[in-house]
Amino acid sequence: MTLIRTQINRRSFMKLSAAAGGGMMLGFSWLASCSSPKEQYAQIPEEWFDINAYIKIGENGTVTIYSPNPEIGQNVKTSMPVIVAEELDIDWKNVIVEQADLNTIKYNRQLAGGSQSIRHGWQSLRMAGATGRRMMMEAAAKQWEVPVSELTTSLGEVIHAASDRKIGYGALASLAATLEIPAEVETKDNADFKLIGGNIKNVDAKKIVTGKPLFGLDYEQEGMLTAMIVHPPAFGMKIKSYDDSEAKAMPGIKDVIVINTEPKEKQWSDTNAFTELIAVVGESTWQVMKAKKALKVEWEQDTPAENTEDHLRLLSEALDKPGEEIRKDGDPDKASIKAAKVVESVFSAPFLAHNTMEPMNFFANVTADKAELVGPVQTPEYLRLSAMDLLGMTEDQVSIQMTRMGGGFGRRLYGNFGLEAAAISQKMQAPIKLVYTREDDMTQGTYRPAYRVAYKASLDDNGNLLSWQAKGAGIPSDPLFPHRFPAGTVDNFKIERVGIPTNISTGAWRAPRSNFIAGAEQSFMDEVAEAAGKDPIEFRLNLFDRAIKDPVGETNDYDPERYAGVLKLVREKSNWGTEMPGVFRGVSAYYCHNSYVAQVVDLEKVGNALKIKKVWCAVDCGIVVNVEGALNQIQGGIIDGIGHAMYSTLTFKDGKPQQENFNGYKLIRNSEAPLEIETFFVENGIDPTGLGEPSLPPISAALANALYKATGQRYYHQPFSSAEQVQVEMVG
Amino acid sequence: MAAFSIKVNGKTHQVDVDSDTPVLWVLRDHLKLVGTKFGCGIASCGACTIHADGNAIRSCSLPVSAVKDMELTTIEGLSKDGDHPVQEAWLEHDVPQCGYCQAGQIMNAAAFLEKNSNPSDEEISQAMNGNICRCGTYIRINQAIKTAASKMS
Ligand code: FES
Ligand code: FES
C-alpha cells in the first residue's frame, strides 16, 4: 500500500449534489437496453449515495462509476472505470459505467487527445477509488465500533477478521456518504491489482452489437428538426448570393438561413475555414438533403485558390532554402564532408482527411436563457467556451453532454459543428440536430497537413554515424520534433524547419506529426544502417547505447533504455535474423505520446503479389490497464497506419478537395489488413501511458522497409500505392 | 409524398415519405430504428447494411418505393435478445472500437454465413471487403466470423 494525500484533485470529492437520486434513470435505461436473460447485470438499487464525483453506490451494493473523458473508440469508457473499481476494491460485475457530462469543477481535463486520458487520469482515478474504499472502511469502523486499522476489504465488502464479520458496501453507503473526506488514503501496490492488467470487455459492446442509440447521430429530442449546412465548394471561397426559393418550397423544409459561427475570441479548437454558412432546416434528413441540392448558390473568391501541384512545388522549393534551425549539435555539414559515406533521401506525404465513420453532427437546443448541446466532441470544455462567446451566454447557461463517438482521430477536437448547431438552433428558435453528409465531412475538414522532409546522414569507414540532419517543411507547419531520437545519439546533428501558409484548414490527425515523421525517420534509418553494412536493429541499439552512456545534449525527450527495450523484445519474439524463404521483413521503432513501440512487418509473396502476413509489435506503455482494450488499440493503430501509408490521399484543384466520398478516397479494406498482429508488452510497473496513437506512427516504416526487401525499391512518398512509386501489387 | 407499407423485423409499418427516400432514412428518421448507420450514402462503406429477404443490402441506396413486399431485417431484429451467434462472437472477441461500423459488419457477416457456413479466411475477407472499419478492427471481425461459423454449422 502507498499512503497518499487526497488534496490533488480534492474538488472531485466535494459533494456537489444531495446524497441520493440523480442518475437513477440513466441506470434504468442502461439496464433496459441490455436485458438479455442469459447475462447477469448489476441490479438497480432503490437508492443511490454519492461518494464522490466518480462513484455512487446503491444500497444493494451496485456501483455506478462515471467515466469522465470523451469516448472516441479508444476504450477509456471501460479502462478509466476499471482503475476506479480496482482501488475501490469491488467486483466488476456489480459496476455500471456512465459517461459523465462536462463538469470542470468535478473533473480535470475532460478531453480525448494526445493519448493522455489514462496517463493524466491515473492518479485521480486511483484516488477516487481509494477514497471511496477508505470511506466504506470508516463507516464500518463506526458501525462496529472497531478501529479502521483492523479492517480490510475484498470485492465490495469490508471485513473485520478479528470478529469474523463482513458487511457489503451497499449497507454502508448511506453512512459513508455522510463522512468527511479522509485526508489520506492508501492505494494498492501493483502486485495486488486484480482488475488492472486483466481483460475487461468494452462496457458498451452489447449496446453496439444490438444497435442501441449511442452515438451523436442517434440522439433525438421531441420536436427536433434536422439541419444541414452548405459550405463553399473550395477553400478560399465565400458566399456571394443564393436563391433558396425552390429549396424552401420543398416538402418538409422549414427554412434556409445564413449563420456565422466565428466566435469573437477564438479557442485553439476553432480552426474551421468556413464560418459563414448556409443552413437548410427541415423535418427529416432526406428532405433536407434534397433541398440542399436544390439551393442555387453563387460563390466568390475571397483568398487565392490552392492546388496540389503548387503545394508539391512549394514544399520542394522550401527544402532548397535554409530553414529555421531548431536544434544543432556539433557541425553536421562539416562532418559529412570528411565522411566515408553520405546518404540523402527525401520523403513526403499528402493531406489526409480524418473520415471518422460517423460524420460530424451535433444536437443543440438554444433558448433565450440556456443552451443544451449534445453530441460527439473530443474537447467539450473548449466547445463550451466558444459557444458561450458565440451565443453571448455564461458558463452555467451552456451544458454539454457527450455521446459515444463514431471515431475521432483528432477531427472532433475542432468543434465547429457544435457551434454551427448552436447557431442554427438559436436562429431557428428550435431544437435541431445538425448532420453532415459524407461529402460535407470530407470537404470541410481539419486535415492532416501535407509534409516533406529531406534527410542527410554521414558515416565513417567503420559504419559509425557521424552526422544526422533533417529539414522538414509542411503546409502549414513542419513535422519535426527537434529532441526526439536520433537526437542525443550523434555528435553532429541538425534540425531545420519551414512552414508554408495555406487557407486550407488543418489540425491534429491521430498522432500529429509523428504519423508522418516516424515513418520517414525510420525508413531513412534503414537506409543508413544498410549503408553502414549493419543489421538495422543492431545499428539502432548501438545508437541507444551511446544515448545511455554518453548522450549528446540535455534535452533529449526519450528514455533510451525503454526505447532499446522494445527493439530487443521485438527482435527476440519475431526471431529477427533468421532467414525465412519467401518472407520479407522490415523493422521500425518510435516513441511518442509517452509510449514506446517497435514493430516488425512480414511480407509474403503470393504469386506475383505481396501480402502482409504478420506484424510483430512490442510495446512499453508502463502498466497495461486493460489488456484486451490495449491490444485492440494497437491493432487498430497498425491497420490505420498501413492503410493511410499505402492508399489514402486528399488532393486539391482550385481550392476544391478532389475526393469527396469513399468512392474517391481510399481507406484500407478488410482483405488488405495484415492476417495477424501479435503484440508483446514490456512489464515494468511504471505508471501507465496512452495507447490510442503510439502504434500508428512507426508502422509505415516497418512496411516500407519490408517492401524494400521484397522489391529492391525504397518507398519514399505516401501513399505508397501512388503512381510515383514503383508499383507493387498487394493482395486484397 | 406517398404512403408506403414496409415490413421491418417482422412488423408492417406505414410511412408517408417521398418515393425516392432511401430505406436508411425511413428506418432512422421515421421508424426510429437508429442501429442502421449512415456512413457514405453512396453504397461505398457498408455502414447501412441490412437484410432484404435474407440478402445483405445497402439501405442508403435502396429507395423505399423499391421495397414492395421484401422482408427487411435490421440489427435490432437480427435476434430477439442480441444472441445471434454473430453478435455473441462479436462480444467474445471484443471486436468494437468506436463501434459505429459494427452493425453493418454484423449484418453483412450474418447474411454471408447463412450462405457459406464454413468459409475460408480468403472468402471471409472478400465477403467483408465492402464494409469499411475506420478503426481497423478487421482482424477481430474475421476471428469473430470464424467463431460464429463454428457455432452456426
Ligand atoms: S451508408 Fe450505405 S454504404 Fe455507406
Ligand atoms: S469500430 Fe470504429 S469504424 Fe469500425
Side-chain angles (χ1 to χ4, degrees):
Chain A
M1 296 262 180
T2 316
L3 206 61
I4 50 169
R5 294 195 169 280
T6 52
Q7 66 230 43
I8 316 171
N9 204 23
R10 207 175 156 83
R11 58 188 178 158
S12 302
F13 303 139
M14 306 303 169
K15 289 184 202 71
L16 295 168
S17 58
M24 210 188 276
M25 286 312 294
L26 284 169
F28 273 116
S29 70
W30 183 89
L31 200 78
S33 66
C34 298
S35 56
S36 167
K38 276 198 219 156
E39 310 206 18
Q40 288 299 308
Y41 285 101
Q43 297 300 308
I44 294 299
E46 303 278 321
E47 202 172 0
W48 287 110
F49 301 95
D50 284 342
I51 304 301
N52 56 47
Y54 298 86
I55 303 166
K56 70 181 176 185
I57 299 183
E59 91 292 333
N60 63 351
T62 296
V63 180
T64 292
I65 301 179
Y66 290 98
S67 184
N69 283 25
E71 172 62 62
I72 55 175
Q74 83 284 44
N75 210 29
V76 290
K77 193 173 170 188
T78 304
S79 47
M80 293 183 100
V82 161
I83 299 169
V84 177
E86 177 71 69
E87 291 292 351
L88 185 57
D89 208 16
I90 50 175
D91 194 337
W92 185 252
K93 77 175 187 331
N94 293 329
V95 173
I96 293 172
V97 174
E98 284 183 21
Q99 176 71 56
D101 292 344
L102 174 64
N103 188 323
T104 48
I105 300 167
K106 283 184 176 179
Y107 308 107
N108 289 322
R109 198 185 180 278
Q110 285 180 284
L111 186 149
S115 298
Q116 296 300 309
S117 295
I118 292 294
R119 178 167 171 257
H120 280 277
W122 178 242
Q123 286 305 339
S124 41
L125 295 164
R126 291 185 80 185
M127 203 178 303
T131 306
R133 175 175 172 273
R134 173 76 192 189
M135 288 164 81
M136 292 298 139
M137 290 164 75
E138 286 181 6
K142 253 194 173 161
Q143 194 157 322
W144 290 334
E145 297 179 343
V146 297
V148 179
S149 59
E150 289 178 13
L151 301 174
T152 56
T153 60
S154 174
L155 292 176
E157 288 182 324
V158 180
I159 300 160
H160 186 233
S163 62
D164 200 17
R165 278 181 292 185
K166 276 183 185 177
I167 184 167
Y169 287 2
L172 295 166
S174 66
L175 177 56
T178 65
L179 298 177
E180 284 293 306
I181 305 150
E184 281 181 340
V185 296
E186 285 170 333
T187 54
K188 286 184 178 177
D189 288 335
N190 296 359
D192 297 326
F193 287 156
K194 294 186 193 117
L195 294 171
I196 291 174
N199 285 309
I200 303 280
K201 296 206 149 82
N202 186 328
V203 293
D204 278 339
K206 181 87 189 193
K207 284 182 174 178
I208 290 168
V209 306
T210 52
K212 295 292 177 298
L214 270 178
F215 299 94
L217 208 64
D218 305 340
Y219 188 81
E220 205 202 343
Q221 268 190 25
E222 195 59 37
M224 175 184 93
L225 297 170
T226 298
M228 289 198 169
I229 47 134
V230 179
H231 67 271
F235 287 87
M237 299 197 103
K238 63 176 189 179
I239 306 169
K240 186 176 177 199
S241 65
Y242 67 98
D243 172 2
D244 60 7
S245 47
E246 194 185 328
K248 265 185 167 165
M250 291 173 75
I253 299 306
K254 296 282 181 200
D255 210 349
V256 176
I257 58 174
V258 172
I259 54 163
N260 196 319
T261 58
E262 183 134 26
K264 286 182 276 311
E265 197 183 315
K266 279 195 178 190
Q267 302 298 322
W268 64 269
S269 52
D270 293 314
T271 56
N272 190 25
F274 305 118
T275 46
E276 196 184 44
L277 302 154
I278 303 172
V280 182
V281 188
E283 280 164 12
S284 67
T285 316
W286 184 245
Q287 290 173 324
V288 176
M289 277 184 179
K290 277 173 52 174
K292 215 181 133 172
K293 290 196 185 123
L295 260 187
K296 293 180 193 67
V297 192
E298 239 191 285
W299 309 98
E300 65 186 338
Q301 203 71 38
D302 185 25
T303 53
E306 298 181 18
N307 289 291
T308 294
E309 268 169 37
D310 300 332
H311 288 152
L312 295 176
R313 181 178 44 80
L314 289 168
L315 282 166
S316 126
E317 284 170 6
L319 296 185
D320 292 338
K321 291 176 283 194
E324 179 200 351
E325 216 169 79
I326 47 174
R327 174 157 172 165
K328 190 173 178 194
D329 302 322
D331 191 341
D333 293 313
K334 208 162 118 199
S336 41
I337 295 168
K338 294 186 298 183
K341 265 186 189 166
V342 173
V343 189
E344 284 183 273
S345 292
V346 176
F347 298 80
S348 72
F351 286 97
L352 292 177
H354 292 85
N355 288 330
T356 61
M357 279 312 282
E358 180 194 19
M360 297 307 115
N361 64 84
F362 229 79
F363 170 86
N365 188 9
V366 179
T367 57
D369 55 359
K370 76 173 182 49
E372 184 189 4
L373 304 179
V374 185
V377 65
Q378 292 176 247
T379 50
E381 193 176 339
Y382 296 95
L383 173 59
R384 182 165 63 188
L385 288 171
S386 300
M388 283 157 50
D389 180 313
L390 184 75
L391 302 170
M393 288 186 174
T394 54
E395 188 175 307
D396 58 323
Q397 289 176 296
V398 181
S399 70
I400 298 194
Q401 191 184 323
M402 290 169 267
T403 57
R404 189 177 182 87
M405 290 176 236
F409 313 108
R411 176 61 186 91
R412 294 187 220 271
L413 292 166
Y414 312 101
N416 57 291
F417 40 86
L419 289 182
E420 289 157 15
I424 297 168
S425 174
Q426 191 179 41
K427 238 185 179 161
M428 293 297 295
Q429 301 186 357
I432 63 105
K433 182 167 69 183
L434 169 70
V435 178
Y436 277 24
T437 61
R438 175 57 57 193
E439 289 80 4
D440 296 333
D441 190 280
M442 210 180 282
T443 60
Q444 79 141 346
T446 305
Y447 308 114
R448 195 279 298 271
Y451 294 126
R452 191 172 179 93
V453 62
Y455 282 103
K456 182 174 180 183
S458 64
L459 297 157
D460 69 12
D461 286 327
N462 300 319
N464 296 310
L465 189 62
L466 288 177
S467 69
W468 177 283
Q469 46 192 315
K471 192 195 292 175
I475 306 172
S477 52
D478 73 290
L480 289 158
F481 295 89
H483 305 301
R484 286 193 178 170
F485 178 78
T489 68
V490 54
D491 292 308
N492 304 294
F493 181 84
K494 188 163 76 175
I495 301 286
E496 290 167 273
R497 68 174 176 202
V498 190
I500 299 166
T502 181
N503 60 12
I504 295 165
S505 43
T506 61
W509 188 103
R510 195 177 195 174
R513 294 186 280 161
S514 306
N515 57 42
F516 165 69
I517 204 66
E521 170 205 298
Q522 289 290 301
S523 296
F524 187 62
M525 188 63 75
D526 208 64
E527 270 188 282
V528 176
E530 187 186 38
K534 299 207 174 132
D535 169 78
I537 295 185
E538 212 41 60
F539 188 74
R540 287 169 172 83
L541 290 176
N542 287 338
L543 294 175
F544 288 124
D545 237 24
R546 167 80 199 266
I548 292 165
K549 294 190 185 119
D550 178 23
V552 182
E554 279 156 16
T555 49
N556 308 316
D557 67 357
Y558 59 92
D559 176 340
E561 295 198 44
R562 293 180 76 182
Y563 224 138
V566 287
L567 267 168
K568 286 179 188 159
L569 185 61
V570 87
R571 176 173 69 176
E572 174 207 323
K573 297 293 180 184
S574 69
N575 283 312
W576 180 262
T578 45
E579 281 295 319
M580 289 181 291
V583 176
F584 308 95
R585 315 191 100 176
V587 67
S588 174
Y590 205 64
Y591 165 69
C592 61
H593 304 278
N594 312 95
S595 297
Y596 299 80
V597 175
Q599 291 157 341
V600 168
V601 162
D602 287 356
L603 282 174
E604 194 181 35
K605 262 220 156 91
V606 183
N608 283 329
L610 291 167
K611 172 80 200 162
I612 306 173
K613 193 178 143 213
K614 181 161 182 175
V615 177
W616 308 78
C617 186
V619 176
D620 179 354
C621 58
I623 294 165
V624 181
V625 174
N626 182 13
V627 175
E628 193 75 69
L631 292 173
N632 213 345
Q633 287 308 303
I634 291 163
Q635 291 171 357
I638 289 172
I639 293 173
D640 190 2
I642 291 172
H644 284 91
M646 277 303 298
Y647 306 111
S648 307
T649 185
L650 186 79
T651 55
F652 295 87
K653 186 155 191 331
D654 300 327
K656 185 174 159 52
Q658 294 299 285
Q659 295 75 23
E660 299 190 331
N661 205 323
F662 297 134
N663 52 355
Y665 191 109
K666 181 159 165 48
L667 290 171
I668 191 169
R669 300 277 175 162
N670 189 310
S671 65
E672 292 149 348
L675 291 178
E676 189 189 350
I677 295 172
E678 195 175 4
T679 300
F680 306 90
F681 293 103
V682 173
E683 283 178 40
N684 54 18
I686 296 172
D687 284 357
T689 49
L691 279 178
E693 288 156 296
S695 74
L696 183 146
I699 194 65
S700 60
L703 174 63
N705 297 339
L707 282 170
Y708 169 66
K709 289 283 179 201
T711 65
Q713 300 290 332
R714 292 277 173 194
Y715 285 74
Y716 296 115
H717 303 288
Q718 294 184 18
F720 297 155
S721 64
S722 71
E724 299 171 61
Q725 307 284 324
V726 177
Q727 283 298 303
V728 54
E729 196 189 332
M730 301 290 285
V731 174
Chain B
M1 304 260 269
F4 294 92
S5 156
I6 63 167
K7 204 163 170 196
V8 182
N9 301 332
K11 265 180 38 198
T12 305
H13 301 264
Q14 311 295 331
V15 288
D16 194 16
V17 294
D18 279 0
S19 60
D20 59 353
T21 308
V23 168
L24 170 66
W25 297 113
V26 173
L27 295 170
R28 291 187 58 89
D29 283 359
H30 302 274
L31 306 182
K32 310 294 175 200
L33 292 169
V34 296
T36 305
K37 300 299 188 223
F38 167 57
C40 68
I42 58 162
S44 285
C45 76
C48 65
T49 306
I50 62 166
H51 297 172
D53 295 332
N55 298 310
I57 57 127
R58 305 295 171 76
S59 65
C60 69
S61 303
L62 177 73
V64 66
S65 57
V67 174
K68 307 226 158 68
D69 52 5
M70 287 179 191
E71 305 238 1
L72 304 181
T73 308
T74 69
I75 187 76
E76 290 92 343
L78 182 63
S79 61
K80 199 166 146 281
D81 297 313
D83 56 359
H84 185 283
V86 173
Q87 289 168 311
E88 289 192 329
W90 244 246
L91 294 178
E92 186 182 326
H93 290 274
D94 211 17
V95 174
Q97 284 187 33
C98 82
Y100 193 79
C101 72
Q102 301 295 345
Q105 305 275 4
I106 289 169
M107 294 308 282
N108 198 55
F112 166 64
L113 288 175
E114 284 300 330
K115 297 193 165 61
N116 183 349
S117 58
N118 188 20
S120 67
D121 292 346
E122 258 290 79
E123 288 170 331
I124 292 175
S125 61
Q126 286 305 327
M128 298 303 292
N129 247 2
N131 288 71
I132 296 175
C133 175
R134 177 66 184 81
C135 299
T137 63
Y138 296 129
I139 293 177
R140 282 168 190 249
I141 284 172
N142 297 353
Q143 288 165 343
I145 292 174
K146 288 234 130 174
T147 299
S150 68
K151 290 191 181 142
M152 281 168 81
S153 58

